[in-house]
């Protein structure tokens, strides 16, 4: 993962924890999923690619959720 272009490993900090708690409270997402989405938003990601179709339920103007299944058909 460290060698993938346009990817990085981020520390979990207070801002990410705070936003992930907000996401978790406003959605049916599990805590680890909320942490991943909050990390992407805080770090300025435009797109979040996943195999988890449940994450497509998440709505945020700053982050587009793409499911790999949509492109493999």
């Amino acid at each position: 993962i460290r060698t993938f272009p346009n990817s990085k490993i981020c520390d979990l900090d207070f801002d990410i924890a705070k936003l992930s708690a907000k996401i978790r409270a406003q959605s049916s997402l599990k805590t680890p999923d909320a942490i991943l989405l909050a990390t992407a938003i805080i770090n300025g990601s435009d797109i979040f690619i996943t195999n988890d179709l449940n994450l497509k339920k998440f709505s945020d103007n700053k982050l587009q959720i793409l499911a790999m299944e949509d492109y493999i058909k």
Side-chain angles (χ1 to χ4, degrees), residues 30-68:
K30 304 243 184 248
T31 300
D33 294 332
I35 291 170
L36 290 172
L37 292 171
T39 301
I41 293 167
I42 293 287
N43 284 281
S45 296
D46 298 317
I47 298 172
F48 188 91
I49 301 171
T50 183
N51 285 322
D52 187 345
L53 296 179
N54 286 328
L55 293 182
K56 289 193 73 170
K57 297 176 189 174
F58 177 73
S59 173
D60 184 89
N61 294 336
K62 300 175 189 172
L63 188 65
Q64 181 181 4
I65 309 294
L66 298 179
M68 295 196 55

